[in-house]
């Protein structure tokens, strides 16, 4: 165990013991990593004889079906509450533990964080100016998932946990590594092996993640959908095919990676769950491109974004650009609530949201961000002794559209 993780363990034990009660929160519409880490944390709190509650403020319909199933089958052993229940229970002697999230706007508690006395963050996503203030922050960018961190804590504390708990934590690791295909270290595999010894099984996790036929069809329509526009002239008819998936090659970036930009161009205002956008981005990255951006409305006036990368392009930094601009740069209709313009993540996985009436303006923003990644300059790539330096000239983007 690293010194940092040992310090986290000490801070958790101290703060849990000194609190009146413990609340655990993940990000909005939690995925397997967020819910698995939350269940692991509540297990630690219970072991230290504290009342502990997991806050989930999303409707069951808005959750991934597998995540909803995990929550439902966990209710016999753990207490789940919503925002209103949290507000009625919380006091300044309470401890809040945020898992798989560090930005307040990504939780339902963004306006109610001051109801508790102490906050501890356990996460693996990049910090930004929007990261919530906390008593202690443990953010490990190298960890595959928050479940990996929490599983290490449980094992270090020698807390006995069930086969189900092992599967919950294993599911979080499987999800965030795309079945151990990315973002893994020796620690990831060691942690997974220990969970396997505790009863975790890949086939159990796979059953939770079995695709719903209608949802899978909706995803395929989003990724592969297209339509024909016919322009009828006096002497001829011209047909233009428009694909939802626009794949572009960025020759200005080392390796000239292919980037996929996906929008439901026939029905741009179709509503999707955020996790569906993430699944679409994962699918694109597995087979069709080195970088994937998927855009879709998650609410009537809010565009969700999911981004993935398997090259040198850091999608976390690209999505982080949203937090540094005025939301009014995106077209908006009359909106009662303040507009949002937020994003972030790590190099390989990122997400965000923008309040706008024009989803295509969000796509254009990221297309331009990609073009601007390598301004025209000379960069010395390598230089051997007594040899002329090899110089790479980075030019302004020349974007080539690949026709499907």
């Amino acid at each position: 165990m690293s010194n940092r993780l040992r310090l986290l363990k000490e801070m958790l034990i101290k703060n849990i013991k000194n609190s009146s009660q413990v609340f655990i929160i993940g990000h909005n519409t939690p995925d397997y990593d967020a819910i698995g880490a939350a269940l692991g944390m509540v297990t630690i709190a219970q072991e230290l004889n504290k009342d502990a509650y997991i806050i989930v403020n999303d409707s069951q319909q808005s959750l991934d079906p597998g995540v909803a199933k995990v929550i439902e089958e966990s209710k016999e052993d753990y207490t789940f509450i919503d925002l209103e229940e949290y507000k009625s229970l919380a006091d300044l002697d309470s401890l809040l533990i945020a898992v798989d999230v560090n930005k307040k706007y990504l939780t339902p508690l963004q306006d109610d964080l001051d109801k508790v006395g102490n906050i501890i963050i356990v996460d693996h996503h990049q910090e930004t100016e929007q990261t919530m203030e906390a008593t202690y922050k443990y953010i490990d960018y190298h960890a595959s998932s928050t479940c990996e961190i929490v599983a290490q804590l449980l094992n270090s504390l020698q807390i006995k946990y069930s086969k189900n708990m092992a599967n919950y934590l294993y599911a979080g690791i499987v999800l965030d590594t795309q079945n151990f295909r990315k973002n893994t270290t020796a620690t990831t595999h060691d942690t997974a092996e220990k969970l396997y010894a505790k009863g975790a099984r890949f086939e159990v996790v796979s059953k939770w993640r079995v695709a719903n036929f209608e949802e899978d069809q909706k995803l395929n329509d989003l990724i592969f959908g297209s339509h024909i526009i016919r322009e009828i002239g006096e002497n001829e008819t011209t047909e233009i095919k428009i694909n939802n998936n626009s794949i572009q090659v960025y020759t200005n970036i080392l390796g000239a990676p292919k980037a996929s930009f996906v929008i439901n161009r026939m029905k741009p205002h179709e509503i999707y769950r955020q996790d569906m956008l993430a699944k679409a981005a994962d699918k694109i990255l597995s087979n069709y491109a080195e970088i994937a951006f998927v855009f879709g409305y998650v609410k009537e006036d809010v565009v969700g974004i999911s981004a993935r990368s398997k090259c040198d392009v850091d999608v976390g930094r690209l999505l982080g650009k949203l937090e540094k601009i005025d939301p009014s740069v995106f077209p908006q209709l009359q909106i009662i609530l303040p507009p949002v313009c937020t994003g972030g993540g790590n190099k390989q996985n990122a997400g965000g949201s923008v309040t706008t009436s024009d989803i295509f303006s969000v796509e254009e923003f990221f297309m331009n961000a990609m073009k601007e990644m390598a301004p025209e300059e000379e960069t010395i790539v390598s230089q051997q002794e007594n040899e002329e330096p090899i110089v790479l000239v980075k030019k302004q983007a020349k974007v080539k559209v690949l026709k499907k």
Side-chain angles (χ1 to χ4, degrees):
M1 173 177 275
S2 68
N3 289 332
R4 282 192 67 217
L5 198 59
R6 190 173 292 110
L7 178 59
L8 169 62
K9 181 174 75 170
E10 293 171 359
M11 292 295 294
L12 275 172
I13 293 171
K14 175 185 174 182
N15 280 273
I16 290 173
K17 285 184 173 180
N18 291 338
S19 66
S20 59
Q21 58 196 334
V22 180
F23 299 98
I24 297 104
I25 185 72
H27 50 76
N28 294 322
T29 55
D31 55 14
Y32 289 100
D33 191 31
I35 204 65
L39 288 164
M41 278 296 182
V42 81
T43 302
I44 294 172
Q46 289 179 347
E47 182 72 12
L48 296 171
N49 298 312
K50 288 294 176 182
D51 291 331
Y53 310 91
I54 300 174
I55 305 165
V56 177
N57 202 50
D58 305 278
S59 66
Q60 186 166 353
Q61 293 76 18
S62 66
L63 295 170
D64 176 275
V67 172
K69 186 175 181 179
V70 168
I71 291 173
E72 194 59 37
E73 71 179 33
S74 301
K75 286 182 177 179
E76 289 186 12
D77 301 309
Y78 306 101
T79 304
F80 291 82
I81 62 173
D82 61 19
L83 175 60
E84 292 306 313
E85 290 173 297
Y86 159 79
K87 289 195 285 189
S88 67
L89 290 169
D91 58 43
L92 293 180
D93 292 322
S94 302
L95 169 66
L96 174 69
I97 303 174
V99 293
D100 200 36
V101 65
N102 66 64
K103 301 173 183 65
K104 60 184 180 181
Y105 66 83
L106 291 177
T107 79
L109 307 185
Q110 54 182 316
D111 298 321
D112 297 288
L113 292 170
D114 58 354
K115 294 188 180 300
V116 297
N118 291 296
I119 299 174
I120 291 179
I121 296 171
V122 181
D123 192 18
H124 67 125
H125 298 102
Q126 291 175 348
E127 294 182 71
T128 71
E129 295 174 357
Q130 297 292 329
T131 295
M132 65 184 81
E133 294 183 7
T135 310
Y136 183 74
K137 291 183 287 188
Y138 181 91
I139 300 176
D140 184 358
Y141 309 134
H142 301 293
S144 69
S145 57
T146 312
C147 279
E148 178 184 314
I149 300 167
V150 174
Q152 289 180 77
L153 287 169
L154 282 166
N155 293 331
S156 175
L157 289 163
Q158 298 183 331
I159 294 174
K160 292 182 180 180
Y161 51 91
S162 68
K163 186 187 297 184
N164 281 346
M165 179 59 66
N167 276 309
Y168 301 151
L169 295 166
Y170 191 70
I173 296 174
V174 168
L175 172 79
D176 274 22
T177 61
Q178 289 185 26
N179 299 334
F180 299 95
R181 290 198 296 265
K182 65 168 192 174
N183 201 32
T184 62
T185 64
T187 302
T188 308
H189 291 281
D190 179 65
T191 304
E193 182 181 0
K194 287 181 170 65
L195 290 171
Y196 198 86
K198 294 284 188 179
R201 293 294 182 268
F202 189 82
E203 55 268 25
V204 174
V205 172
S206 295
K207 286 181 181 178
W208 293 335
R209 301 179 67 194
V210 168
N212 173 282
F213 177 79
E214 290 184 0
E215 180 177 301
D216 204 40
Q217 187 177 43
K218 191 172 182 178
L219 280 177
N220 281 328
D221 287 344
L222 173 61
I223 298 170
F224 304 113
S226 63
H227 64 282
I228 302 294
I229 293 179
R230 291 183 174 86
E231 295 182 355
I232 301 175
E234 290 184 6
N235 300 317
E236 61 179 16
T237 298
T238 303
E239 290 190 348
I240 302 172
K241 185 177 182 181
I242 298 178
N243 296 314
N244 287 352
N245 190 356
S246 171
I247 297 180
Q248 302 184 2
V249 177
Y250 284 87
T251 56
N252 60 311
I253 301 171
L254 189 64
K258 288 188 290 185
S260 168
F261 296 85
V262 173
I263 292 176
N264 187 336
R265 301 181 195 277
M266 186 67 175
K267 299 178 180 178
H269 286 278
E270 182 87 9
I271 302 291
Y272 297 91
R273 297 195 314 268
Q274 183 70 37
D275 69 275
M276 291 181 69
L277 303 181
K279 288 176 184 177
D282 288 337
K283 189 169 186 175
I284 292 164
L285 202 71
S286 297
N287 301 291
Y288 307 106
E290 286 78 44
I291 308 155
F293 293 93
V294 181
F295 310 93
Y297 279 94
V298 292
K299 295 181 182 178
E300 186 176 350
D301 54 0
V302 178
V303 172
I305 308 146
S306 191
R308 298 290 185 268
S309 172
K310 60 180 178 182
C311 62
D312 286 337
V313 174
D314 187 333
V315 289
R317 290 189 181 278
L318 282 171
L319 269 289
K321 289 177 178 287
L322 290 174
E323 298 194 353
K324 299 176 182 178
I325 63 174
D326 187 335
S328 65
V329 303
F330 296 101
Q332 296 166 26
L333 297 175
Q334 187 173 357
I335 298 169
I336 298 174
L337 297 175
V340 299
C341 190
T342 53
N346 56 38
K347 183 175 181 178
Q348 297 173 315
N349 301 274
S353 58
V354 172
T355 304
T356 181
S357 56
D358 181 9
I359 191 171
F360 299 104
S361 67
V362 185
E363 178 186 46
E364 184 180 7
F365 175 86
F366 285 101
M367 285 183 169
N368 289 334
M370 289 286 293
K371 291 178 187 177
E372 295 164 3
M373 281 192 64
E376 190 169 347
E377 60 182 14
E378 287 190 346
T379 303
I380 296 178
V381 176
S382 66
Q383 184 174 10
Q384 302 296 327
E385 189 175 356
N386 300 324
E387 289 185 6
E388 288 293 315
I390 300 172
V391 177
L392 171 69
V393 179
K394 296 181 180 179
K395 298 182 178 179
Q396 293 290 347
K398 295 180 181 178
V399 180
K400 176 184 177 183
V401 178
L402 297 184
K403 295 183 179 179
K404 296 181 70 177

